[in-house]
Amino acid sequence: MKKTLTIGFIGLGLIGGSIAKALRQARPDDILIAYDKNKEGLIQAMADNTINQATDTIGSAFSDCDVVFLCTPVSTCIEYLQPLKSILSPDCILTDVGSVKSAIHQAVEQVGLSDHFIGGHPMTGSEKSGYSHSKAHLLENAYYILTPCDETDSYRHELMLSLVRAMNALPITLNYKEHDRITAAISHLPHIIAYTLVNLVRETDNPEGMMRLLAAGGFKDITRIASSSPEMWQQICFENQDSILNVLSDYEKRMYDIGNAIRNRQEDALLDAFTKARDYRNDIPVSHAKGAIEPSYEIFVDIIDESGAIATIATILATNGISIRNIGIVHNREFQEGVLHIEFYEQEASEKAAGLLDRFHYVVHTVG
């Protein structure tokens, strides 16, 4: 790898900004150039020395780049391919950060940029957007999937692997079709199920709203991801349409089989299905790595229902610089231990809070 690289960013929002900040920390001598329609983000990135140059056009500023990151929605990335074809140097790597790979790979092939392109999918994110919310550690311990083209040479592939490692992310290389098949099953289908289950409860709730009142424990756990951006998931459903429809069809068949087993009181079939699922779920390795679905950072605390109990805990956390995302009493505790539920923005804050409250002799339950 060259001692210094020139790296371009088209789009400098949450993900683009976080990649730029991570690379700036790891490789301070590299030259970073960025384009974004949002001038405010570029001004901030220049002011905090994340980038060396801001540009208001996708033009000659990118002609000397060794790597160009496309950090915009897939449809916009595709629009930029043709203008970039006449700009990129022969050895330049073009990569993206989208969560669906088929559309961009097919567009790259049509434009004739397959020898330049390595798809990328950093499996991380936030409910917030824009450069102002980007941070270098957003990619730490996050799986970062790379999807090279058949024409990708070993030098380009190794360079991308080294850059991903420099971000403190965990690189995994997949064929782009396999990537979309996997993410359809472990990310896209779960979101569709969560949205559908919430709507089922919403539409069948009684006029007094008792389902909503009593919903907690397992229901809130498996539907947490239904709080994600509806617009983003609408787009993903169309971008990964074929893979989602295939896995959805498989899921529908399995739901039919479960219903049939319940209807016909097939005890062995039900027990076998539940046992295999439990064993597979329990064999998923415990890891700090971020996967396809953004994890929740939460703890449960046993407290006595008395005046000032919640305020005391909130004060302990606040005075130690720990920000709370959400806090509340758990009324339905069939599936959860602990009376007080506290959510945090980051894993580090969750772990720090658990240790701190333990030292104050609170009984703390972490989510495994």
Side-chain angles (χ1 to χ4, degrees):
M1 188 196 302
K2 293 181 181 178
K3 188 173 182 180
T4 61
L5 297 173
T6 300
I7 302 174
F9 292 86
I10 296 177
L12 201 68
L14 176 73
I15 299 298
S18 296
I19 291 173
K21 288 179 178 178
L23 291 177
R24 172 59 71 215
Q25 283 189 4
R27 301 176 54 83
D29 295 331
D30 285 353
I31 299 170
L32 272 56
I33 301 167
Y35 162 85
D36 197 295
K37 291 180 179 178
N38 179 5
K39 302 299 187 291
E40 184 61 34
L42 295 177
I43 293 170
Q44 291 177 30
M46 288 291 292
D48 63 21
N49 296 315
T50 295
I51 62 173
N52 303 88
Q53 180 182 344
T55 177
D56 58 2
T57 60
I58 299 175
S60 59
F62 293 96
S63 60
D64 293 327
C65 286
D66 299 287
V67 184
V68 173
F69 285 87
L70 289 167
C71 303
T72 64
V74 174
S75 58
T76 311
C77 287
I78 291 173
E79 292 175 10
Y80 291 146
L81 293 178
Q82 194 66 52
L84 283 169
K85 184 177 181 181
S86 61
I87 297 170
L88 299 180
S89 67
D91 295 326
C92 182
I93 297 170
L94 181 64
T95 187
D96 76 321
V97 297
S99 62
V100 179
K101 308 308 328 162
S102 293
I104 186 70
H105 268 271
Q106 291 163 7
V108 161
E109 185 175 352
Q110 290 173 1
V111 173
L113 283 171
S114 296
D115 55 340
H116 288 273
F117 189 72
I118 299 177
H121 177 196
M123 303 181 88
T124 187
S126 169
E127 76 283 357
K128 299 176 181 178
S129 61
Y131 180 82
S132 61
H133 297 292
S134 63
K135 46 200 172 186
H137 66 270
L138 187 71
L139 295 113
E140 284 185 4
N141 295 316
Y143 290 119
Y144 197 123
I145 299 177
L146 297 176
T147 58
C149 297
D150 291 339
E151 296 85 348
T152 301
D153 60 41
S154 59
Y155 170 77
R156 286 184 171 93
H157 190 193
E158 288 300 323
L159 177 54
M160 278 304 303
L161 288 170
S162 67
L163 289 178
V164 170
R165 294 188 186 106
M167 303 173 203
N168 291 319
L170 308 173
I172 293 177
T173 299
L174 291 174
N175 173 275
Y176 76 87
K177 293 180 181 178
E178 182 70 355
H179 167 277
D180 284 358
R181 187 186 74 85
I182 290 171
T183 54
I186 65 171
S187 175
H188 305 166
L189 179 63
H191 280 82
I192 292 169
I193 292 170
Y195 282 119
T196 305
L197 180 55
V198 171
N199 278 330
L200 172 66
V201 170
R202 177 182 62 82
E203 293 166 7
T204 58
D205 202 354
N206 63 21
E208 293 75 31
M210 291 305 296
M211 287 187 181
R212 182 171 58 183
L213 175 66
L214 298 176
F219 180 83
K220 291 200 75 175
D221 285 345
I222 65 173
T223 60
R224 174 180 58 84
I225 54 178
S227 296
S228 304
S229 165
E231 293 81 8
M232 179 182 74
W233 283 100
Q234 177 200 49
Q235 294 169 13
I236 286 174
C237 283
F238 296 134
E239 290 167 0
N240 201 23
Q241 183 182 53
D242 290 345
S243 294
I244 289 174
L245 289 176
N246 286 337
V247 73
L248 188 58
S249 178
D250 289 343
Y251 181 73
E252 289 170 346
K253 180 181 182 303
R254 283 161 175 75
M255 290 300 289
Y256 174 83
D257 290 343
I258 288 290
N260 198 46
I262 295 170
R263 184 180 303 108
N264 296 314
R265 302 188 67 83
Q266 297 172 352
E267 297 177 3
D268 291 344
L270 273 181
L271 183 61
D272 181 63
F274 295 159
T275 301
K276 286 178 178 176
R278 179 203 61 188
D279 292 347
Y280 186 86
R281 170 65 175 78
N282 290 343
D283 280 343
I284 295 175
V286 177
S287 171
H288 291 301
K290 302 173 186 175
I293 296 177
E294 187 68 12
S296 61
Y297 308 111
E298 56 190 353
I299 61 175
F300 294 84
V301 185
D302 284 335
I303 61 171
I304 298 172
D305 185 7
E306 60 184 14
S307 178
I310 296 178
T312 300
I313 289 178
T315 300
I316 291 171
L317 299 180
T319 54
N320 284 273
I322 301 174
S323 296
I324 296 173
R325 180 178 183 177
N326 201 0
I327 186 169
I329 295 292
V330 181
H331 296 289
N332 180 347
R333 294 193 290 277
E334 286 185 291
F335 303 98
Q336 298 289 8
E337 295 182 279
V339 176
L340 187 67
H341 177 213
I342 312 175
E343 293 183 76
F344 304 90
Y345 289 100
E346 298 172 342
Q347 179 180 319
E348 183 181 357
S350 178
E351 293 173 349
K352 183 178 177 182
L356 184 64
L357 294 176
D358 181 68
R359 290 198 296 274
F360 275 86
H361 307 294
Y362 286 96
V363 178
V364 178
H365 306 275
T366 56
V367 179

